[in-house]
Amino acid sequence: MIEDVEGETPRLEGDARPTQFFYVYEQGGAIVGWALGAERGNDAGYVAVDRVIVHPDHRRCGVARALVERVLADHADIEVLMAAWDPELVPFYESLGFRELEDGTMSKSPPH
């Protein structure tokens, strides 16, 4: 189950940018994954996904896919950007419709 956590959302250490969404994936009463990010700037025109984290015991079980799909569903009318910290994750993001930009950022534009 994915839950949108309302109220105070976490900040990454040293990050002054506000977090506007924080989703957790729960299984058996435990949080096994989470995603956070925010729309950037005034009328920036994109959403930045700062982190998608999955507990090692729950990787390759659809948790990250479900979290990213939720982000895409909730922000379907705006470009979604995320960094593929691990080059091995590029095919995963491409399978969700992202394309890799020259700087390594993954981008998914809204349908036209």
Side-chain angles (χ1 to χ4, degrees):
M1 175 172 83
I2 297 177
E3 200 173 315
D4 184 2
V5 179
E6 296 187 28
E8 270 306 301
T9 54
R11 278 194 190 190
L12 302 173
E13 187 174 325
D15 192 353
R17 299 173 297 180
T19 297
Q20 294 177 343
F21 64 84
F22 181 60
Y23 303 124
V24 296
Y25 190 106
E26 292 184 65
Q27 193 171 58
I31 294 173
V32 299
W34 52 271
L36 64 83
E39 291 186 24
R40 297 295 185 224
N42 296 333
D43 301 317
Y46 71 94
V47 167
V49 179
D50 294 318
R51 297 285 188 275
V52 176
I53 304 295
V54 177
H55 187 281
D57 293 345
H58 296 273
R59 291 184 181 151
R60 305 192 75 70
C61 296
V63 175
R65 178 172 297 278
L67 288 164
V68 174
E69 287 175 345
R70 174 65 184 269
V71 171
L72 293 172
D74 286 357
H75 301 93
D77 60 342
I78 192 167
E79 183 180 19
V80 176
L81 297 174
M82 57 193 331
W85 301 104
D86 181 345
E88 292 181 12
L89 293 175
V90 170
F92 166 72
Y93 290 118
E94 288 176 337
S95 76
L96 289 162
F98 285 83
R99 64 184 174 83
E100 188 173 14
L101 304 178
E102 288 182 22
D103 66 358
T105 301
M106 302 302 294
S107 170
K108 177 154 179 155
S109 298
H112 291 90

